[in-house]
Amino acid sequence: SFLHSYMVSMFNISELYTVMRTTVRQNTLLLIADSFFGGVGVGDGIFAEIYDGYSAAGAYAADSGNLLLEITAELGVSGLIVFLAFLLLIFIKLFTSADRREGAKARVLAGAPAAGIIAVIFCGMTGYIWSDTMMFLGFCMILGLGASISEMRSSPSDALIVSDGRVIGREAKIHGHVYGSGQDASIDIKL
């Protein structure tokens, strides 16, 4: 399975594999130094094409082997700063949401996506995980889950009834026509 092979490669500490990883990362740092602010650009195979100029003859690397190094190589330090600022804003939103919740289960629910994001970033330290589209999709799904959880109301008393884009309040009587039946109907809503 993918997860098993990924975990095996992540913790592979054979001498040749370690030297290869170290060399690729050192060459990536040289590449970053030459394109510090703007990076080399994003695209399929761009890194490998540019990397050839920094590696020994015959050496090949499809990516830097590190998520943050790859982002910096492709987008420059400015792209890395934007990415880290984005993560910081996500964490602030998630932890603020967890802080205003009542009950341990609700706090864990609000903090769980933050733990997932940290886990993905940690895994990214040992490999460029976004080269696998399923890992990138998983990361985006964790972000989406976190965004939806952070927007959930902490209690029903925080909820408001909205009709046609207007906030009605916590109590409303909605009256309308039931299409196809020729009858009117009304409903009382109390939160």
Side-chain angles (χ1 to χ4, degrees):
S1 85
F2 167 76
L3 185 59
H4 180 264
S5 63
Y6 178 76
M7 294 301 284
V8 168
S9 72
M10 188 167 86
F11 296 108
N12 184 348
I13 56 172
S14 69
E15 187 175 333
L16 178 62
Y17 198 72
T18 304
V19 167
M20 182 185 77
R21 278 186 182 185
T22 304
T23 303
V24 168
R25 290 180 183 155
Q26 287 172 343
N27 290 339
T28 301
L29 290 172
L30 294 173
L31 186 148
I32 290 169
D34 288 346
S35 55
F36 191 71
F37 291 108
V40 296
V42 179
D44 193 26
I46 296 282
F47 179 87
E49 188 177 314
I50 305 273
Y51 181 81
D52 281 344
Y54 293 88
S55 64
Y60 172 79
D63 55 63
S64 67
N66 182 299
L67 179 62
L68 298 179
L69 279 179
E70 186 75 21
I71 289 170
T72 309
E74 290 180 351
L75 302 173
V77 172
S78 56
L80 179 65
I81 290 170
V82 168
F83 177 72
L84 294 176
F86 172 73
L87 288 181
L88 179 66
L89 292 174
I90 294 288
F91 285 130
I92 289 170
K93 187 148 185 82
L94 287 171
F95 289 126
T96 301
S97 173
D99 189 44
R100 71 173 186 245
R101 305 248 178 233
E102 295 178 17
K105 286 184 182 179
R107 285 193 177 115
V108 168
L109 179 67
I117 293 168
I118 291 169
V120 169
I121 299 299
F122 177 74
C123 284
M125 293 289 128
T126 61
Y128 181 55
I129 57 173
W130 285 355
S131 62
D132 177 20
T133 54
M134 294 304 288
M135 289 294 285
F136 184 71
L137 174 65
F139 182 75
C140 291
M141 289 172 68
I142 291 170
L143 289 177
L145 178 67
S148 64
I149 288 172
S150 69
E151 290 300 318
M152 287 173 41
R153 301 289 181 195
S154 60
S155 69
S157 64
D158 292 344
L160 295 173
I161 300 168
V162 177
S163 175
D164 297 326
R166 295 176 294 126
V167 175
I168 297 172
R170 291 199 174 102
E171 294 184 19
K173 181 171 186 132
I174 299 175
H175 185 76
H177 183 73
V178 179
Y179 293 104
S181 70
Q183 298 180 3
D184 290 338
S186 63
I187 185 170
D188 291 328
I189 300 174
K190 292 182 182 180
L191 299 177

